[in-house]
Amino acid sequence: MTTRTARAAGAAALVAVLATSGCTGLPGAGGTPVTFEAGADGIGDPYFPTYGNGGYDVVSYGLKLRYDPAGDQLGGTATITATATADLSRFNLDLVGLTVSEVTVDGTVAGHAREGDELVITPESGLRRDSRFVVEVDYAGTPGTVRSPDLGEGGFINTDDGAIALGQPESASTWFPVNDHPLDKATYDIEITVPEGLSALSNGVPGGTSTADGWTTWKWSERAPMASYLTTLVIGDYRVSSGTHAGKPIVTAVAAELPTTYADPAMARTGEIADYLATLFGPYPFDSYGGIVVADSRIGYALETQSRPVYGPSFFRRDTGEWVVAHELAHQWFGDSVSIHHWRDIWLNEGFASYAEWLWEEHDGGRTAQANFADEYAQTDWSQPTGDPGRSGIFSRAVYKRGALTVHALRRTVGDDAFFRLLKTWTAEKRDGNATTAEFVAVAERVTGKSLRPFFDDWLYGTTAPPVP
Ligand SMILES: [Zn+2]
């Protein structure tokens, strides 16, 4: 994410639901009785204890939804294919607001209850560990947002001409039932039906449109595993540009009410900027490219939604905005393809994306990365740590700017050859997965052959200015 204003996209209210009840079910292999237990209501993130859920791993989401902007009504069916990671008597999905009418598990009607932002599903019989199961949730209602006092607001907002679903660290649960944490990445097929004449944009490869009775269905599919906060839905009156870039679909869209001289030039450089970053970070990790510029001023940030970042309107007002395009496209490697394990590691996303702004500026004939480093180093508040910045600090300057300083200092310490070899090794080895800071340090030491733990201790966690390498 990039913020130009203080506004950041949000987090859900934390609702504690203890999952302790167990029951003894059918005998397992060898005649041993199987104890089925309730899946946890959180995936185990220290900053956000109720984000995500335990007991299963989602393989794919299939969403078939209809949205009527006039009445702000969203409804449809979510089909979720998952693998049990424990013997489950019941399990949770995250869902904010909306009314669930029916839930089935493997085609059989299942019990469902709402406990705050948790949807608790009790299948007719227990789910065995390692078994694959399919959940269908029928739901409808007026979607909303999630707010937190320290992180702002994100989620589904109704706009003048449609809607925008967007937000970090949590937003997906405002428009579909989901295991809402980056640790459970999955593939997505999204079908969204909107009034004829409006565009409905989302992640991944476009699957075409079909129109009947005044409604148009847009199809999108993302085959690479995607973290839930990287999903988006943007509905409205947009100038949509579709083509191919490097043999893959590229779809950019700019809100029709914005002048064509405003953000369209930056969107037109999307492929070129991605190609430049690929020379540094390794092959572009996804099957499609793109970007979406919205006009709604409530979106005061840009977010690296997978394969198709969403940009708030403010970025293109004072300059070309290419720096923010470089930032969000860098996230396609750092954050999207290689996702964080826990939110305390968010510098692995933002430090590299912020550094990419400097790299692009230098590449495009502007200031050097070294000059940006020197300026930023001189004005940094070193009392704020970059690694493990605290829940309220995940969008802080220490994560973004001190993170970029750390990346450049690492480059100076190990040299360009080792540095860029490390970046390409990291993005290749962790592609489509999750990673921690400790893993990054280990790969850095292995690739460069240097002992780097003291370096990272100083630059990520120290509270005084480290010496410039
Ligand atoms: Zn970012």
Side-chain angles (χ1 to χ4, degrees), residues 195-419:
E196 184 178 0
L198 297 182
S199 298
L201 302 147
S202 188
N203 310 88
V205 173
T209 61
S210 56
T211 299
D213 303 324
W215 292 81
T216 300
T217 299
W218 296 64
K219 296 182 181 180
W220 302 93
S221 68
E222 179 52 63
R223 292 267 81 73
M226 175 161 64
S228 52
Y229 80 95
L230 298 173
T231 59
T232 189
L233 197 57
V234 176
I235 298 166
D237 189 7
Y238 284 81
R239 276 191 300 281
V240 179
S241 171
S242 301
T244 56
H245 178 80
K248 297 174 176 179
I250 182 167
V251 179
T252 59
V254 179
E257 69 182 85
L258 297 173
T260 56
T261 52
Y262 189 77
D264 296 59
M267 286 300 98
R269 292 191 82 177
T270 288
E272 178 193 351
I273 294 171
D275 287 350
Y276 165 66
L277 296 176
T279 67
L280 308 175
F281 303 155
Y284 180 76
F286 302 123
D287 291 337
S288 66
Y289 298 86
I292 303 166
V293 182
V294 300
D296 197 298
S297 61
R298 287 174 291 177
I299 304 299
Y301 57 93
L303 185 59
E304 61 269 24
T305 42
Q306 189 157 312
S307 76
R308 198 153 293 120
V310 174
Y311 305 92
S314 64
F315 292 103
F316 307 93
R317 191 168 291 141
R318 276 178 278 184
D319 54 45
T320 64
E322 285 166 12
W323 64 272
V324 73
V325 176
H327 179 111
E328 305 309 336
L329 291 180
H331 273 308
Q332 303 307 307
W333 288 263
F334 296 95
D336 294 14
S337 177
V338 184
S339 300
I340 50 175
H341 189 96
H342 286 138
W343 284 105
R344 65 184 174 212
D345 292 325
I346 189 173
W347 85 275
L348 287 171
N349 298 1
E350 302 302 346
F352 287 92
S354 299
Y355 189 55
E357 297 171 25
W358 297 353
L359 293 171
W360 172 255
E361 187 178 352
E362 179 171 333
H363 172 76
D364 203 42
R367 293 202 326 160
T368 62
Q370 178 61 30
N372 272 308
F373 172 88
D375 273 8
E376 191 60 39
Y377 183 92
Q379 58 179 299
T380 290
D381 170 5
W382 296 98
S383 70
Q384 303 300 312
T386 298
D388 206 356
R391 172 196 157 100
S392 63
I394 63 172
F395 300 131
S396 65
R397 194 174 181 90
V399 166
Y400 284 68
K401 296 298 187 181
R402 187 172 161 185
L405 290 174
T406 300
V407 174
H408 189 70
L410 175 64
R411 179 180 172 184
R412 300 259 308 194
T413 299
V414 303
D416 278 11
D417 282 358
F419 174 76

Side-chain angles (χ1 to χ4, degrees), residues 149-185:
D150 46 0
L151 294 171
E153 182 176 33
F156 195 105
I157 58 170
N158 180 242
T159 63
D160 291 344
D161 58 349
I164 302 166
L166 191 69
Q168 184 185 11
E170 203 183 39
S171 57
S173 53
T174 64
W175 59 286
F176 61 94
V178 55
N179 195 19
D180 208 355
H181 189 278
L183 198 49
D184 192 355
K185 298 166 73 167

